């Protein structure tokens, strides 16, 4: 989950701008999370879905993801409470999913 991109690679500018437009994280948080392969891959998937799917489909899936992050993930939060790496990635992705679900 903490594996980072190679030093000679950077997150795609479209993905960075997508997260910037959502206005959910500062520069340092955005840079830190988008250089982690795990969170970058998920954000890229959300970007592609948001770019290509019709609003009806987006509304349904983003609300399902919101329900997942609000309920299912937290059922056993005690497993992860002491792992700051997992918590920080979860917080970053939660903000993105929350923002996307509120847009549709």
């Amino acid at each position: 989950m903490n594996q980072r991109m190679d030093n000679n690679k950077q997150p795609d500018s479209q993905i960075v701008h997508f997260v910037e437009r959502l206005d959910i994280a500062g520069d340092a948080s955005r840079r830190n999370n988008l250089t982690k392969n795990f969170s970058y891959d998920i954000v890229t998937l959300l970007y592609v879905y948001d770019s290509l799917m019709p609003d009806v489909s987006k509304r349904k899936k983003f609300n399902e993801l919101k329900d997942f992050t609000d309920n299912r993930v937290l059922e056993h939060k005690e497993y992860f409470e002491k792992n700051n790496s997992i918590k920080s990635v979860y917080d970053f992705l939660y903000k993105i999913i929350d923002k996307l679900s509120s847009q549709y």
Side-chain angles (χ1 to χ4, degrees):
M1 185 169 290
N2 277 334
Q3 184 178 6
R4 295 197 175 273
M5 291 181 170
D6 294 336
N7 288 335
N8 59 346
K9 294 183 181 176
Q10 293 183 1
D12 185 272
S13 62
Q14 289 180 310
I15 304 302
V16 173
H17 292 309
F18 172 68
V19 177
E20 283 176 349
R21 283 191 307 270
L22 293 174
D23 195 30
I24 53 93
D27 290 342
S29 175
R30 187 173 52 248
R31 190 176 322 110
N32 181 42
N33 282 289
L34 290 179
T35 56
K36 293 178 184 173
N37 290 335
F38 179 80
S39 53
Y40 179 75
D41 290 347
I42 292 176
V43 172
T44 301
L45 178 66
L46 293 171
Y47 166 76
V48 170
Y49 197 85
D50 188 54
S51 300
L52 299 178
M53 298 304 292
D55 285 351
V56 171
S57 298
K58 288 190 265 192
R59 183 179 316 112
K60 182 177 184 210
K61 286 300 174 194
F62 290 147
N63 284 329
E64 287 176 3
L65 280 171
K66 175 79 168 122
D67 183 59
F68 176 76
T69 57
D70 283 346
N71 299 305
R72 179 76 187 223
V73 172
L74 298 178
E75 282 180 13
H76 296 289
K77 67 181 179 180
E78 67 275 4
Y79 298 161
F80 313 108
E81 284 180 327
K82 295 181 182 174
N83 188 325
N84 288 333
S85 298
I86 292 174
K87 283 178 21 180
S88 70
V89 169
Y90 169 79
D91 290 340
F92 179 72
L93 294 174
Y94 178 85
K95 290 175 187 176
I96 292 173
I97 293 167
D98 184 53
K99 185 74 169 208
L100 289 171
S101 69
S102 70
Q103 291 179 348
Y104 301 100

